[in-house]
Amino acid sequence: MKEHLRRWAFKTLLIIGPLAHGQTPIWIDPGHGGSDPGTVSLAGVPEKELVLDIALWMAESAKNGLDIGYPILLTRYRDTLISLTDRGLLPKMVWAKAIVSIHMNHSPNPLAKGIEVHIHRRGGPSERLAQKLVADLVVKLGMESRGIRTGDFQILREAPKDIPVLLVELGFLSHPEESRFLSTPLARKALAMILMEGLRDFFDNHNSMERKTYR
């Protein structure tokens, strides 16, 4: 393992505290960071800041009573650049129950809008979790769905194959209405809560089905 990654992983675990024995975390990956701003809102706010805020709200809600049954870890807790290779490697080091990479979209067409979720292949837990999160965001926030798509993003391709791994695009920073919405702290907190509630409900249902299977 690269020495810099070993040091970074150690610092990350110091930030979130030691995991209880036997607990498998859900990794939330706020995209971009550091010298990679991602796309930029119409007000000039970089994607890297907006998605980090959502991820931090998710981690905070887990500490303050929204129990989804698994610890929530972030691939970054501040404005740091983590390579795509390292993003894919860290969950393998500490194991993972699921991986959700959070991004925001951009298009040269200012009318393009809505959420979309990318998975590596159809079928299995990734598609089921994607369906759950898309449905929740549409119903609870009235967002438009652009559907679930297959993609060959590195974090999808290199992550463990038997767990849900998603890349979620939470709207277009190039769309006037969505850019204003995503730029508000209240909207980002709402997105974080809906994602967390979706994860909780998905794993509650998944674990209930597993218990019935093994009876």
Side-chain angles (χ1 to χ4, degrees):
M1 185 192 306
K2 297 177 182 179
E3 181 59 30
H4 79 278
L5 181 58
R6 182 182 292 109
R7 291 196 302 269
W8 176 72
F10 178 70
K11 289 178 181 178
T12 298
L13 292 174
L14 284 180
I15 291 171
I16 55 95
L19 296 176
H21 178 69
Q23 286 186 308
T24 304
I26 294 172
W27 283 92
I28 306 301
D29 172 45
H32 309 285
S35 60
D36 176 13
T39 188
V40 179
S41 76
L42 295 179
V45 183
E47 176 187 0
K48 66 176 184 177
E49 294 182 12
L50 301 174
V51 295
L52 177 59
D53 192 44
I54 291 171
L56 290 171
W57 273 116
M58 293 176 74
E60 186 68 19
S61 70
K63 292 179 182 178
N64 291 327
L66 206 169
D67 181 16
I68 63 175
Y70 304 97
I72 296 294
L73 305 187
L74 310 187
T75 55
R76 65 183 180 96
Y77 288 82
R78 50 181 65 90
D79 185 18
T80 52
L81 178 64
I82 303 168
S83 73
L84 294 177
T85 299
D86 288 353
R87 287 179 194 269
L89 179 58
L90 186 56
K92 295 178 182 179
M93 292 166 42
V94 192
W95 304 105
K97 193 68 180 178
I99 302 170
V100 180
S101 186
I102 302 175
H103 291 258
M104 292 173 184
N105 227 328
H106 184 275
S107 173
N109 176 7
L111 299 180
K113 63 183 295 190
I115 56 172
E116 61 188 41
V117 179
H118 298 264
I119 57 177
H120 193 230
R121 59 177 61 83
R122 295 287 179 183
S126 292
E127 187 167 16
R128 291 195 298 273
L129 178 56
Q131 290 169 343
K132 171 61 177 169
L133 296 184
V134 168
D136 284 357
L137 289 165
V138 168
V139 170
K140 295 181 179 180
L141 279 183
M143 300 187 77
E144 183 175 311
S145 171
R146 294 168 59 88
I148 298 167
R149 308 180 180 203
T150 57
D152 198 38
F153 297 103
Q154 188 167 0
I155 196 166
L156 303 181
R157 183 176 65 247
E158 296 188 357
K161 308 301 181 188
D162 57 344
I163 65 170
V165 185
L166 316 178
L167 189 150
V168 182
E169 298 273 11
L170 292 171
F172 281 75
L173 291 177
S174 50
H175 185 276
E177 182 182 338
E178 289 192 341
S179 185
R180 286 193 298 272
F181 173 74
L182 294 167
S183 296
T184 64
L186 186 60
R188 296 194 296 275
K189 184 177 181 180
L191 285 164
M193 295 300 293
I194 290 169
L195 292 173
M196 286 291 287
E197 290 168 354
L199 285 164
R200 178 198 61 196
D201 295 346
F202 173 84
F203 282 109
D204 280 351
N205 183 62
H206 175 76
N207 293 339
S208 176
M209 291 179 65
E210 280 194 341
R211 286 192 294 270
K212 290 179 182 178
T213 300
Y214 289 106
R215 280 180 181 173

